[in-house]
Amino acid sequence: MQLIDGNLIWSASDLTAASVCEYGVLRTLDVKLGRASKSASANDPLMTRIAELGDKHEQNILAELKTGAGSDALLVVELPHLRGSHTVEALTILNANTMDAFASQPDVVFQAGFFDGEFFGYADFIERTDQGWRVCDAKLARQARPKALLQLAAYADQLRQAGLHLAPVAALLLGNGKKEEFRLVDVLPVFKERRARLRAILNEHHSESAAIGWGDERYIACGKCPDCAEAIDQTQDLLLVAGLRMDQRRKFREQGLHTVADLAKATEHPTGMAQGTFDKLTAQARLQVKQLDAGQDADGYPNEVFFELTDFSAVTLATLPAPSPGDIFFDFEGDPMYNEGNPETWGLEYLWGVMEAPVDGAEAGVFRPWWADDSDQERNAFRDFMEYVAERRQAHPDMHIYHYAPYEKTALLRLA
């Protein structure tokens, strides 16, 4: 999103962002207008890595088109991005250069830049086909996501506005090497609806004088993005209560409950909420208020960690099997973005960690790691781990393997 000479310019990214969190998009507008400061968000190394791999994926596709990997080489026109501060004049020239590129009838236009006075963006690849120009977007994801289709439709709409003949489908060039096509007759109506909604909320908020307030019922909030997280923390919103869902928050707010402290004092459950669910959430809220009141020590740790063992959790704990000296806790650490060149195979379980049950009166058990820096070492780790389990099971037939979630079982089956 940009504010150029008082004109609000939005992009396909803004369109997809608004489909998830309108509050976050309007917070971005407030920052542009000087009404608010940008939310502090920690640098996420994984997102940085994903962006790098996304750029590499795009460049690999471009190289294949130019060299004709698997087919004849294609005539590709590459258009440069604008540098420096954007102006309406520069954006208009960018759009004109893009139209000139299409007029030259290449096989592919790479990074076509569009501007129609309110929309600005670059399309990854636009291919010339017998049926017309086909918009193709490179995505590192291995399966299509709905918001990616909005981007395809946004660029297809720009071609339509320019009077260029459109192919009936658009395509996503996925990270697994597959090309998935989607009918424009299906995605364009959704795009138009989302565009109308984005225009409406931007224009409405632009005309107002104050920054958007948290909890404004006119707009959707995801409750997860940095903007939402900051507001939730500042207002002690109900979403801070562990396990509380958005639909439950709505029911509590209709009852006049807005903060963790409000819920901790509540005595009557909202209409449509089971008494057991209400009891669980209010108990959790009371614990969190108690924890906050306890404060922190000089190192930032809670002075005391509070918990409650309820009748329900006591019954659940009682279902655990009797301990065995052979018991282990098993966990993976992995890199989902690891790849060795095969677009269909992603991910590496690089650390296999086992904590053994304490023996002979020891306070802690032995930790055993298996490390893997590539797929060959991962295969070795799998074999060594399975042999270790078999030997331990032979020595302790009543042993158990504890793990945190279903992922460990799923990953072991996949690796097998």
Side-chain angles (χ1 to χ4, degrees), residues 280-324:
K280 177 182 176 181
L281 292 173
T282 52
Q284 179 65 39
R286 287 193 297 271
L287 273 177
Q288 292 182 214
V289 169
K290 189 175 181 180
Q291 190 71 68
L292 287 171
D293 291 343
Q296 299 176 334
D297 62 19
D299 296 320
Y301 293 101
N303 284 323
E304 184 179 355
V305 176
F306 295 100
F307 67 92
E308 291 179 3
L309 186 62
T310 67
D311 291 341
F312 174 77
S313 56
V315 171
T316 303
L317 290 172
T319 64
L320 289 172
S324 164

Side-chain angles (χ1 to χ4, degrees), residues 12 102 107-112 114 119 121-129 131-139 148-161 164-173 179-184 187-188:
F102 285 116
D107 295 311
V108 179
V109 177
F110 177 62
Q111 292 299 307
F114 296 103
F119 174 88
Y122 296 97
D124 290 344
F125 301 92
I126 300 181
E127 303 174 337
R128 181 167 57 85
T129 72
Q131 295 179 301
W133 294 100
R134 177 171 57 199
V135 179
C136 301
D137 212 19
K139 294 296 181 186
L149 304 187
L150 285 177
Q151 293 180 311
L152 290 176
Y155 298 124
D157 182 69
Q158 290 296 308
L159 293 173
R160 181 190 58 78
Q161 287 188 53
L164 297 171
H165 184 55
L166 277 174
V169 298
L172 291 177
L173 310 176
K179 184 175 189 176
E180 292 197 17
E181 295 185 343
F182 302 88
R183 299 192 312 163
L184 289 178
V187 298
L188 278 172

Side-chain angles (χ1 to χ4, degrees), residues 71-337:
S71 62
D72 295 332
L74 300 177
L75 175 59
V76 180
V77 172
E78 296 182 59
L79 294 172
H81 282 211
L82 286 179
R83 303 301 177 192
S85 299
H86 295 170
T87 64
V88 171
E89 181 183 8
L91 292 173
T92 303
I93 293 173
L94 173 75
N95 189 78
N97 291 339
T98 295
M99 294 303 112
D100 289 342
F102 285 116
S104 68
Q105 292 292 302
D107 295 311
V108 179
V109 177
F110 177 62
Q111 292 299 307
F114 296 103
F115 177 64
D116 64 3
E118 65 167 340
F119 174 88
F120 164 60
Y122 296 97
D124 290 344
F125 301 92
I126 300 181
E127 303 174 337
R128 181 167 57 85
T129 72
D130 293 339
Q131 295 179 301
W133 294 100
R134 177 171 57 199
V135 179
C136 301
D137 212 19
K139 294 296 181 186
L140 192 61
R142 271 87 80 188
Q143 59 185 12
R145 296 174 179 172
K147 62 182 183 180
L149 304 187
L150 285 177
Q151 293 180 311
L152 290 176
Y155 298 124
D157 182 69
Q158 290 296 308
L159 293 173
R160 181 190 58 78
Q161 287 188 53
L164 297 171
H165 184 55
L166 277 174
V169 298
L172 291 177
L173 310 176
L174 300 174
N176 58 6
K178 295 182 179 178
K179 184 175 189 176
E180 292 197 17
E181 295 185 343
F182 302 88
R183 299 192 312 163
L184 289 178
V185 70
D186 294 328
V187 298
L188 278 172
V190 181
F191 158 75
K192 292 176 181 177
E193 179 189 354
R194 295 310 311 171
R195 180 180 61 184
R197 174 61 180 170
L198 178 63
R199 284 170 170 168
I201 65 173
L202 289 177
N203 291 335
E204 180 179 32
H205 191 57
H206 194 186
S207 66
E208 298 172 342
S209 57
I212 184 174
W214 175 249
D216 191 324
E217 300 291 347
R218 294 176 296 172
Y219 308 113
I220 297 169
C222 69
K224 300 175 182 178
C225 68
D227 288 310
C228 286
E230 184 177 274
I232 288 168
D233 186 62
Q234 289 176 348
T235 61
Q236 287 293 290
D237 190 275
L238 290 166
L239 289 173
L240 285 177
V241 177
L244 192 143
R245 303 192 308 266
M246 272 287 193
D247 61 319
Q248 294 167 338
R249 174 181 180 266
R250 184 178 63 254
K251 292 176 182 178
F252 282 130
R253 286 174 65 87
E254 290 172 352
Q255 198 179 27
L257 307 176
H258 296 85
T259 68
V260 180
D262 290 340
L263 183 57
K265 299 173 184 175
T267 57
E268 295 184 7
H269 66 85
T271 302
M273 179 178 291
Q275 184 67 46
T277 300
F278 173 77
D279 293 342
K280 177 182 176 181
L281 292 173
T282 52
Q284 179 65 39
R286 287 193 297 271
L287 273 177
Q288 292 182 214
V289 169
K290 189 175 181 180
Q291 190 71 68
L292 287 171
D293 291 343
Q296 299 176 334
D297 62 19
D299 296 320
Y301 293 101
N303 284 323
E304 184 179 355
V305 176
F306 295 100
F307 67 92
E308 291 179 3
L309 186 62
T310 67
D311 291 341
F312 174 77
S313 56
V315 171
T316 303
L317 290 172
T319 64
L320 289 172
S324 164
D327 287 348
I328 61 173
F329 180 83
F330 173 55
D331 192 26
F332 277 128
E333 290 295 336
D335 177 5
M337 307 311 299

